């Protein structure tokens, strides 16, 4: 049998892997497991070789191997991932928060490849690319034939190189062409900081931490110190909502700012002895007495939960919002041959009280998973004796809902209606002030614009009524047809009032999007916080010393 060069390359990759794996098991496991590993690896290698060389159709060795790798990992937790050479750049972004690119955050909106936001200070931002611009071509290739990952990979590249893009912008009939220079993009961890809204009068500072890449702790420290230079900081709101985590060391460093020296911040435990570590605060806190509120939601995960869990267990901060995601699994990145990597789960982490915040059980390793039931959740105590439970993420000390969004609002979000109307408005309005409001005239213009976009949506009540009518017809209850028609008409009349009934929330969403077109992310953030009930609760809590201290009572 002849093995082509590509097959030999992949097969040698397997052999290199086997040497490392077998050596590891020789040292750490018993002979039975070593024999099983060697036996099954030989079977797998022989099967792979036979398929590539003898199968009736020509097979791509790399594609076949990737299928096998993906199948193996599917049975484990979703955080254990293989990165091939093309994807390995994502590791740099996850750990260092930087990459080579033109600074355009793009995504699909209403089926079109759209600029979500240009990164301030980058080539795309400085040369005038705007939020809402539609990407028509990248590097001479129509985006209609490219996937999101294709476009992302084309825009990224070696710093100093250039890429041509062509954009469509509402209000301008001809495409706009740009030659953008790739550069090292350093993603900010702290995306907004300062005294905002009611916080200005109360002396409450606000820090929005979007991720935990390298220098996250440095950015948080600098943000707080800058506010201290401007005014007396009487309290701090650390916003970890939608922060999916990052580097464990950065989470530990941030917690150290607030907790007593020597405090346990987090510990990790896994199958192997080297995965057992206890991370303690090694320094004197630089903000030892500063009252702190941490905002979390269901997308706050991993490193966010380490910080929130440490401050909660040590009774050092009040947690406000909704229950966090519940990711208590720790991953490390292992380099593999040919510039590939494996991000592998090696341990679980535990908060200072000893609780795991992992909410999903993947231990069966069969691709299935389940939530940890209440009957198996254990109770722990904070430093002051408050009761906290494991197995469900970080549960807030003060649960505060953002309020349920209406079916109309959800439908408008799915259609990116606020986003695209903001583009439409900006095409005809050169400037607006930061105190801009959505008056009745503009709100009516928004509704009129929706009619030109053929916007429609169906409510659950409409669908339920239609299903009921169909069921009644199937069983021959024709006599109630008039009643069903009256019910459906009543539902349509009620639905017609949705734009008025939910007017305030819709106006708020529209204002946030429009402000972003003129005054950037800062104005957008401040506009959103102005109507944010969780932020308002944090301001109120930090303004009431007695209420703040009562949270920590057992």
């Amino acid at each position: 049998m002849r093995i082509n060069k590509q097959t030999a390359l992949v097969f040698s990759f397997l052999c290199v892997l086997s040497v490392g794996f077998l050596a590891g098991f020789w040292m750490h496991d018993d002979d039975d497991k070593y024999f099983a590993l060697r036996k099954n690896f030989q079977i797998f290698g022989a099967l792979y070789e036979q398929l590539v060389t003898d199968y009736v159709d020509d097979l791509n060795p790399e594609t076949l191997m990737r299928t096998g790798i993906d199948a193996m990992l599917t049975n484990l937790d979703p955080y254990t991932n293989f990165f091939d050479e093309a994807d390995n750049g994502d590791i740099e972004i996850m750990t260092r928060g930087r990459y080579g690119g033109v600074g355009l955050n793009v995504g699909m909106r209403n089926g079109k490849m759209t600029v979500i936001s240009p990164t301030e200070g980058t080539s795309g931002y400085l040369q005038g690319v705007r939020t809402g611009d539609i990407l028509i071509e990248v590097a001479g290739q129509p985006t209609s034939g490219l996937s999101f990952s294709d476009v992302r990979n084309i825009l990224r590249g070696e710093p100093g190189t250039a890429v041509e893009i062509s954009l469509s912008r509402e209000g301008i009939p001809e495409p706009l062409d740009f030659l953008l220079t790739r550069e090292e993009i350093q993603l900010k961890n702290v995306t907004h900081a300062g005294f905002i809204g009611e916080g200005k009068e109360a002396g409450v500072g606000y820090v929005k931490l979007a991720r935990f890449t390298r220098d996250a702790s440095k950015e948080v420290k600098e943000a707080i110190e800058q506010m201290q230079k401007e005014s007396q900081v009487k309290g701090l709101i650390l916003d970890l909502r939608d922060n999916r985590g990052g580097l464990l060391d950065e989470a530990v460093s941030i917690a150290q700012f607030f907790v007593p020296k020597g405090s346990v911040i987090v510990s990790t435990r896994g199958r192997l002895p080297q995965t057992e570590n206890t991370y303690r605060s090694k320094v004197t806190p630089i903000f030892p007495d500063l009252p702190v509120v941490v905002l979390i939601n269901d997308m706050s995960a991993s490193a966010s939960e380490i910080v929130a869990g440490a401050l909660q267990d040590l009774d050092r901060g009040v947690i406000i919002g909704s229950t966090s995601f519940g990711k208590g699994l720790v991953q490390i990145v292992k380099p593999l041959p040919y510039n590939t990597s494996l991000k592998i789960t090696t341990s679980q982490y535990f908060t200072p009280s000893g609780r795991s915040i992992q909410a999903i059980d993947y231990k069966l390793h069969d691709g299935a998973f389940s939530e940890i039931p209440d009957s198996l959740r254990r109770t722990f105590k904070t430093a002051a004796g408050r009761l906290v439970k494991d197995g469900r993420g970080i549960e807030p000390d003060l649960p505060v809902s953002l309020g349920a969004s209406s079916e109309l609002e959800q439908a408008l979000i799915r259609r990116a209606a606020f986003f695209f109307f903001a583009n439409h408005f900006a095409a005809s309005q050169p400037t607006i002030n930061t105190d801009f409001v959505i008056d009745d005239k503009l709100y009516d213009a928004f509704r009129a614009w929706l009619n030109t976009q053929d916007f429609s949506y169906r409510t659950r009540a409409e669908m339920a009524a239609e299903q009921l009518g169909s069921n009644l017809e199937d069983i021959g209850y024709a006599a109630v047809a008039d009643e069903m028609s009256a019910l459906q008409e009543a539902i349509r009349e009620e639905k017609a009032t949705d734009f008025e009934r939910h007017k305030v929330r819709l106006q708020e969403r529209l204002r946030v999007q429009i402000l972003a077109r003129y005054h950037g992310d800062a104005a957008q953030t401040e506009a959103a916080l102005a109507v944010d009930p969780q932020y308002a609760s944090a301001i109120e809590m930090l303004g009431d010393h007695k209420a703040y201290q009562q949270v920590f009572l057992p």
Side-chain angles (χ1 to χ4, degrees), residues 13 82-89 91 335-342:
F13 166 77
F82 173 73
F83 292 86
D84 60 24
E85 190 169 6
D87 295 331
N88 228 2
I91 297 292
L336 299 178
Y338 301 103
N339 197 29
T340 61
S341 301
L342 176 67

Side-chain angles (χ1 to χ4, degrees), residues 291-306:
V292 180
V293 165
V294 181
L295 299 181
I296 60 172
N297 65 5
D298 60 351
M299 296 305 291
S300 303
S302 189
S304 292
E305 294 170 305
I306 290 175

Side-chain angles (χ1 to χ4, degrees), residues 471-484:
N471 291 342
L472 291 173
E473 185 177 329
D474 288 344
I475 60 177
Y477 282 19
V480 296
D482 290 342
E483 286 83 352
M484 281 305 307

Side-chain angles (χ1 to χ4, degrees), residues 17-170:
L17 282 181
S18 70
V19 171
F21 287 156
L22 295 179
F25 275 96
W26 181 264
M27 294 172 61
H28 298 294
D29 225 355
D30 54 35
D31 289 344
D32 288 343
K33 184 165 286 188
Y34 170 74
F35 172 75
L37 177 61
R38 182 176 58 182
K39 168 188 171 183
N40 286 287
F41 179 80
Q42 290 175 343
I43 294 171
F44 179 81
L47 182 148
Y48 173 70
E49 182 181 347
Q50 291 294 326
L51 285 174
V52 173
T53 56
D54 294 345
Y55 188 70
V56 62
D57 298 321
D58 186 32
L59 298 176
N60 183 312
E62 291 192 11
T63 301
L64 184 63
M65 177 55 67
R66 184 59 187 264
T67 301
I69 291 172
D70 290 344
M72 278 193 291
L73 299 184
T74 296
N75 287 333
L76 306 179
D77 66 86
Y79 312 111
T80 296
N81 305 124
F82 173 73
F83 292 86
D84 60 24
E85 190 169 6
D87 295 331
N88 228 2
D90 291 341
I91 297 292
E92 184 79 359
I93 297 173
M94 286 188 293
T95 58
R96 297 179 180 270
R98 64 188 186 198
Y99 64 95
V102 296
L104 298 183
N105 177 21
V106 300
M108 297 300 292
R109 290 291 185 273
N110 207 19
K112 299 175 181 178
M113 196 69 66
T114 306
V115 177
I116 307 304
S117 64
T119 302
E120 189 172 345
T122 62
S123 179
Y125 180 90
L126 295 174
Q127 290 179 234
V129 179
R130 294 182 184 174
T131 297
D133 286 344
I134 308 298
L135 276 168
I136 302 172
E137 290 185 357
V138 289
Q141 301 181 58
T143 57
S144 57
L146 300 174
S147 67
F148 168 73
S149 59
D150 291 334
V151 172
R152 181 192 63 180
N153 291 335
I154 292 172
L155 292 176
R156 293 178 183 174
E158 196 66 28
T161 59
V163 59
E164 293 183 357
I165 67 170
S166 184
L167 302 172
S168 169
R169 180 176 297 166
E170 186 163 352

Side-chain angles (χ1 to χ4, degrees), residues 72 392 487 498:
M72 278 193 291
R392 194 61 53 82
L487 173 63
D498 279 355

Side-chain angles (χ1 to χ4, degrees), residues 315 382 384-387 546-554:
D315 297 298
T382 71
R386 293 186 296 147
L387 301 182
K546 184 177 179 180
Y548 180 84
Q549 292 298 329
Q550 282 182 334
V551 172
F552 306 120
L553 297 178

